[in-house]
Amino acid sequence: AQKITQTQPGMFVQEKEAVTLDCTYDTSDPSYGLFWYKQPSSGEMIFLIYQGSYDQQNATEGRYSLNFQKARKSANLVISASQLGDSAMYFCAVKTSYDKVIFGPGTSLSVIP
Amino acid sequence: DVKVTQSSRYLVKRTGEKVFLECVQDMDHENMFWYRQDPGLGLRLIYFSYDVKMKEKGDIPEGYSVSREKKERFSLILESASTNQTSMYLCASSLRSDLFPPEAFFGQGTRLTVV
């Protein structure tokens, strides 16, 4: 069965600093996709970034980048130049070849002015 | 704009009631999902469907059933609501693909309280 682990229940970061949110996954599927979502206090889930298991390059989207280490089954999210609006819950998710999307327990990020 | 709409934002039901949570998407997506979200546990998959009349159990299907009679609508049913089903319920949809994105699109969530 697929499983996502996010070991940091809560994180703090100073405004304008970079922060790394950890994610490890466990899947036996040869092909899969990894996602990160953001959930602000308002509740909506916002897609941030995607990495395919066969992608050679790490994905980047603006201030977000995904540090993908396939052998370690790790897909950490790096947020550069943190902003107050980045305070939210962050969820890592894996989508397998059977279209099933599994989420991790989430990390709460607080950005300090 | 893509849209996933859940019928209620807040719902209060009594123990033992049959509860229907409705989700409609207007993106012609094949896949639809129901999750529940609890503090410290994240999102847990209850059921998903990859086609009309098709359904697959997720990680926590006990006490729930689903219905997908039309492509755009995916209903979650609590046959006999219990207090431990008090939670936030999130519906999502995505295009059918063997592997790659697009990502799942989420509804605004239904906060269900069972008293």
Side-chain angles (χ1 to χ4, degrees):
Chain A
Q2 290 80 19
K3 187 180 177 183
I4 297 273
T5 302
Q6 294 179 255
T7 57
Q8 307 149 313
M11 291 275 289
F12 291 89
V13 63
Q14 202 76 38
E15 194 178 6
K16 299 180 185 176
E17 298 289 315
V19 62
T20 298
L21 306 184
D22 294 341
C23 172
T24 57
Y25 58 92
D26 185 13
T27 178
S28 55
D29 288 337
S31 297
Y32 50 90
L34 294 153
F35 300 82
W36 276 91
Y37 286 82
K38 172 184 178 181
Q39 187 182 43
S41 57
S42 52
E44 75 271 27
M45 295 286 284
I46 302 167
F47 166 73
L48 295 178
I49 196 167
Y50 167 83
Q51 177 85 41
S53 59
Y54 287 114
D55 292 344
Q56 297 296 319
Q57 303 248 340
N58 284 347
T60 60
E61 286 288 344
R63 293 187 299 112
Y64 304 108
S65 60
L66 203 153
N67 183 1
F68 181 49
Q69 298 185 47
K70 192 171 182 177
R72 294 186 177 184
K73 294 194 172 180
S74 165
N76 299 338
L77 176 71
V78 181
I79 305 174
S80 62
S82 297
Q83 301 172 356
L84 296 178
D86 293 334
S87 294
M89 285 290 293
Y90 288 82
F91 293 96
C92 180
V94 63
K95 181 179 179 183
T96 70
S97 53
Y98 299 103
D99 280 339
K100 190 174 171 182
V101 181
I102 300 295
F103 285 80
T107 294
S108 175
L109 177 67
S110 298
V111 180
I112 304 165
Chain B
D1 253 4
V2 296
K3 204 166 182 184
V4 179
T5 304
Q6 294 182 230
S7 52
S8 304
R9 191 71 194 264
Y10 299 95
L11 213 51
V12 179
K13 294 292 181 180
R14 294 191 182 278
T15 302
E17 274 193 80
K18 190 169 186 176
V19 181
F20 293 85
L21 302 183
E22 306 286 347
C23 175
V24 177
Q25 50 95 3
D26 63 1
M27 298 165 282
D28 203 33
H29 283 172
E30 290 86 357
N31 304 326
M32 295 189 76
F33 308 84
W34 275 108
Y35 296 90
R36 65 176 281 176
Q37 183 178 10
D38 301 289
L41 297 176
L43 279 72
R44 292 180 290 166
L45 183 63
I46 305 171
Y47 268 96
F48 69 106
S49 167
Y50 51 86
D51 205 347
V52 175
K53 297 192 186 294
M54 304 298 287
K55 60 185 178 184
E56 295 286 339
K57 291 181 180 179
D59 298 317
I60 51 164
E62 296 79 18
Y64 303 94
S65 62
V66 290
S67 171
R68 187 140 182 229
E69 296 297 317
K70 293 184 178 181
K71 190 176 185 180
E72 67 270 18
R73 187 180 295 270
F74 192 36
S75 303
L76 179 70
I77 304 155
L78 287 66
E79 297 290 341
S80 177
S82 64
T83 54
N84 63 14
Q85 292 178 310
T86 291
S87 186
M88 170 71 89
Y89 290 86
L90 291 165
C91 174
S93 73
S94 68
L95 269 176
R96 183 69 185 274
S97 72
D98 287 339
L99 170 61
F100 295 112
E103 68 275 20
F105 292 88
F106 283 83
Q108 78 276 28
T110 296
R111 188 166 293 281
L112 172 68
T113 303
V114 182
V115 298

